[in-house]
Amino acid sequence: MRINVLVILLISILIAGCAATGTRYSPPDVVEPGFSDVLQNGTDAASGEQGAITPEMLADWWHSLNDPILTELIHNALEGNLDLKEAKASVQEARSLLGISRAGWFPFLDVGAAYEKSSSSDNMIFSTGENDTYQAGFDAAWEIDIFGGVRRGVEAAQADLQARRENLKSVWVSLTGEVAQSYIALRTYQKRLLVAETNLENQIETYEILQSSFKAGLIDELDVQQARYNLERTRSTIPAIRSGLELNKNALAVLTGTMPGNLHSLLQDRKPIPVSSLRIITGIPANTLRQRPDIRAAERRLAAQTARTGQAKADLYPKFTLIGSIGLESIDSSSFFSSASAAWNIGPKITWPIFHAGSIRNNIQAQTAIQDQLLAVYEKTILDAIKEVRNALVDYAEEQNRRHSLSAAVQAAQTAVGLAQDKYKNGLVDFNNVLDAQRSLLSLEDQLALSEGAISTNLVRLYKALGGGWGVMDDDESPEPAEAPDSTIIQASDSQVMTK
């Protein structure tokens, strides 16, 4: 009894005096830069509503584009996208793995039974011939987590689950952006097709007039053939535009988890390119990088690996296990359930690795190296996020200025076509002036359509770069992330990104 008390006291002292191995995780401090130098001040050539992007706008930003079909497609993607379903299943996997890790905190209990028939050699001195052995009972084992190996494993599993939750959100953020960009591209192709068809009709009309004049002997054949190759060149641009239309219809079908071809009826009618009323952005939410699920996921993966490094260090130290069993043993089935068949044992077990040819320390070094890699990935993710925000802000502003110039150019080109045609009819210029004016008009109108699509696309890029779009996901699909320590909060500042 005295020995048992000493053993219990020794284990209690060890538990009280030892802490989990490894470094206690503290997320890197990150300073978020300001974006004031790339925000619009309202003095650009582009005109329209100006203001700041709000957190409410970020939650379901596609409503700002005022297009019910786009909203329908995004909600269909939430229900049917296969990448999203894969990410949801990954979260469930991580939740189950966390349950496995937590099981290490509790005793294991097994039940078993066995029957054995054996025969001893007749040449053995104490040979007893044939023997029957009956056994049944419970076995229990409980590893006392003195040095925190199990604890670090649970921490790693918890961080993995949080990372996969954030990855689910990241998939959704990317998905909404892809749906919107494909939809905008579709409407842009439709507008480009209208531009090409309208110009083709006008050029065909010009060609038919010239052909009639040639047959009447009023002009030579050169003008007719020039008009012919001009309209055929315009006609040659249409197949590529139609291919682009089909490509984006099929892309939207896959993004929404439906069979390519099933969305054609929904998308067949021509609709305008979706445009936001917010044309001049004067501000974005503070600490906006915290909304980026990919940054939060990268930080959680770093936390998980830090715990695994501590788990590897715990292998340097002894493991204490309480083991025991209770059951029945007998060589006679008739007495198997009698009190005399009862047997039990209980006691502590200690295992301590002495020589493993350096495998434990090499594993520690390997886990530390992985931790360093994930720290670099985390820091790069932040830098990439800042780059994406700045690029999208600049592109959104400058493309509006470009569109303003293109719109003025289109108006001038339309006037030039009319003037060139009038002068040609009056014999003041040759037909080359009409050709040049028509080609310029087609090119400028096509560029204008592309620019209008690019403006909306750049706004989508900005919303995506700010981490917006997962506000419509319910709790079952995107569980709330666990609150991180205060040190994880990204501090707002005008200085460059810094990590400790």
Side-chain angles (χ1 to χ4, degrees):
M1 177 64 72
R2 185 175 301 173
I3 294 176
N4 292 341
V5 172
L6 289 175
V7 169
I8 295 173
L9 287 175
L10 176 61
I11 293 176
S12 301
I13 292 171
L14 287 171
I15 294 174
C18 297
T21 56
T23 304
R24 182 177 177 82
Y25 177 72
S26 178
D29 293 330
V30 179
V31 179
E32 182 180 350
F35 297 105
S36 58
D37 59 319
V38 289
L39 290 170
Q40 295 170 264
N41 56 21
T43 61
D44 301 273
S47 61
E49 182 180 337
Q50 59 178 308
I53 293 177
T54 64
E56 291 74 21
M57 293 170 61
L58 281 176
D60 49 6
W61 52 261
W62 46 89
H63 290 295
S64 68
L65 294 173
N66 304 306
D67 192 308
I69 295 180
L70 173 59
T71 299
E72 179 182 350
L73 289 171
I74 286 178
H75 283 273
N76 288 345
L78 177 62
E79 297 296 328
N81 182 262
L82 298 179
D83 289 332
L84 200 62
K85 290 181 179 179
E86 179 185 357
K88 292 175 184 177
S90 178
V91 171
Q92 182 56 48
E93 176 193 2
R95 187 178 290 114
S96 300
L97 291 174
L98 174 59
I100 293 174
S101 297
R102 285 175 170 165
W105 278 334
F106 302 96
F108 287 176
L109 182 64
D110 298 314
V111 63
Y115 164 73
E116 182 180 293
K117 188 176 186 67
S118 62
S119 177
S120 303
S121 169
D122 292 338
N123 293 328
M124 296 293 291
I125 297 176
F126 299 104
S127 173
T128 59
E130 292 186 355
N131 296 291
D132 293 332
T133 303
Y134 301 87
Q135 292 179 326
F138 296 90
D139 295 316
W142 182 22
E143 180 182 341
I144 304 174
D145 191 31
I146 294 177
F147 295 100
V150 175
R151 196 182 325 167
R152 293 303 190 203
V154 172
E155 289 175 4
Q158 286 175 325
D160 279 337
L161 174 57
Q162 292 163 352
R164 296 204 196 186
R165 286 172 172 170
E166 296 301 331
N167 183 67
L168 171 59
K169 293 180 179 180
S170 184
V171 170
W172 175 241
V173 168
S174 297
L175 176 60
T176 55
E178 289 181 34
V179 171
Q181 288 173 329
S182 293
Y183 181 77
I184 292 168
L186 170 73
R187 297 309 184 194
T188 302
Y189 273 115
Q190 286 182 338
K191 185 163 186 177
R192 292 180 64 200
L193 182 60
L194 178 62
V195 166
E197 290 174 344
T198 301
N199 278 268
L200 180 61
E201 291 174 1
N202 294 334
Q203 291 168 10
I204 290 174
E205 182 181 353
T206 300
Y207 168 73
E208 291 174 346
I209 292 174
L210 291 175
Q211 195 174 39
S212 298
S213 298
F214 169 67
K215 290 179 179 179
L218 301 177
I219 60 173
D220 61 24
E221 189 179 3
L222 177 61
D223 292 349
V224 177
Q225 295 305 324
Q226 286 178 322
R228 174 69 183 275
Y229 76 63
N230 191 45
L231 72 88
E232 293 298 343
R233 178 167 51 192
T234 300
R235 198 197 307 272
S236 70
T237 65
I238 293 177
I241 295 175
R242 287 175 176 164
S243 294
L245 275 171
E246 181 67 19
L247 183 149
N248 282 279
K249 288 177 183 178
N250 293 334
L252 286 167
V254 172
L255 289 171
T256 55
T258 189
M259 187 68 66
N262 288 355
L263 293 181
H264 281 49
S265 58
L266 175 66
L267 302 172
Q268 191 63 37
D269 295 338
R270 286 176 178 169
K271 300 290 183 181
I273 299 171
V275 176
S276 172
S277 58
L278 183 63
R279 310 293 284 179
I280 300 175
I281 298 173
T282 60
I284 57 177
N287 298 323
T288 187
L289 291 186
R290 287 194 297 165
Q291 300 298 325
R292 293 263 309 207
D294 57 341
I295 291 179
R296 297 174 70 95
E299 186 274 326
R300 289 290 83 200
R301 284 191 287 268
L302 175 60
Q305 185 55 39
T306 303
R308 289 192 178 93
T309 302
Q311 190 178 21
K313 291 179 179 179
D315 290 338
L316 290 171
Y317 302 98
K319 289 182 170 57
F320 297 86
T321 307
L322 291 177
I323 59 174
S325 65
I326 184 171
L328 300 173
E329 295 179 352
S330 178
I331 59 173
D332 186 357
S333 60
S334 62
S335 62
F336 183 65
F337 293 101
S338 67
S339 59
S341 298
W344 61 273
N345 67 77
I346 187 171
K349 176 184 176 183
I350 301 176
T351 57
W352 196 339
I354 300 299
F355 178 73
H356 282 227
S359 64
I360 294 177
R361 293 194 178 276
N362 281 320
N363 183 46
I364 293 172
Q365 293 174 3
Q367 298 301 323
T368 302
I370 296 174
Q371 182 179 338
D372 293 339
Q373 294 172 45
L374 291 176
L375 175 60
V377 170
Y378 172 61
E379 293 176 338
K380 185 177 183 298
T381 303
I382 294 173
L383 295 179
D384 286 341
I386 295 169
K387 177 190 71 175
E388 290 174 12
V389 172
R390 293 180 67 89
N391 289 350
L393 280 169
V394 171
D395 290 346
Y396 183 62
E398 295 300 335
E399 192 61 45
Q400 292 185 71
N401 294 330
R402 180 171 179 266
R403 181 197 175 282
H404 181 77
S405 297
L406 284 171
S407 180
V410 166
Q411 293 178 8
Q414 290 171 341
T415 302
V417 168
L419 292 173
Q421 289 174 338
D422 289 342
K423 286 182 178 290
Y424 175 73
K425 291 177 182 178
N426 293 322
L428 300 177
V429 296
D430 60 25
F431 192 65
N432 282 326
N433 293 88
V434 177
L435 291 176
D436 289 341
Q438 288 180 339
R439 285 197 296 267
S440 296
L441 177 61
L442 174 60
S443 175
L444 289 169
E445 285 183 335
D446 188 65
Q447 291 182 56
L448 180 59
L450 286 169
S451 180
E452 290 174 348
I455 290 172
S456 295
T457 298
N458 289 335
L459 182 60
V460 171
R461 286 174 50 211
L462 177 58
Y463 283 129
K464 180 181 174 182
L466 294 174
W470 44 266
V472 298
M473 302 183 76
D474 44 18
D475 290 340
D476 290 338
E477 295 167 335
S478 177
E480 288 299 317
E483 290 297 326
D486 292 341
S487 55
T488 64
I489 297 177
I490 300 175
Q491 303 295 326
S493 172
D494 292 331
S495 60
Q496 61 187 12
V497 174
M498 298 172 58
T499 59
K500 293 182 180 179

